[in-house]
């Protein structure tokens, strides 16, 4: 996994924690979920492309 994906996952986790602790910042939870899904899709694409070679 490259450095960019690790950074995206860490940011998603931090945003999820902040969003869970403060209901006024509930939109951060949605941002974290969207970023996490994008990171997961990117990771899966890298695994599939690497495994098919």
């Amino acid at each position: 996994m490259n450095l960019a994906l690790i950074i995206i996952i860490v940011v998603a986790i931090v945003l999820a924690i902040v969003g869970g602790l403060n209901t006024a910042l509930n939109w951060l939870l949605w941002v974290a979920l969207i970023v996490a899904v994008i990171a997961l899709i990117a990771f899966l694409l890298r695994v599939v492309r690497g495994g098919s070679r």
Side-chain angles (χ1 to χ4, degrees):
M1 200 170 9
N2 66 8
L3 184 62
L5 283 177
I6 294 172
I7 292 172
I8 290 173
I9 291 171
V10 169
V11 169
I13 292 171
V14 170
L15 288 175
I17 291 171
V18 171
L21 293 177
N22 192 349
T23 56
L25 298 176
N26 192 22
W27 62 274
L28 283 177
L29 183 60
W30 289 105
V31 172
L33 290 174
I34 293 169
V35 171
V37 167
I38 292 171
L40 180 63
I41 291 171
F43 174 71
L44 290 176
L45 284 175
R46 286 179 57 88
V47 170
V48 168
R49 288 182 182 171
S52 64
R53 292 181 182 171

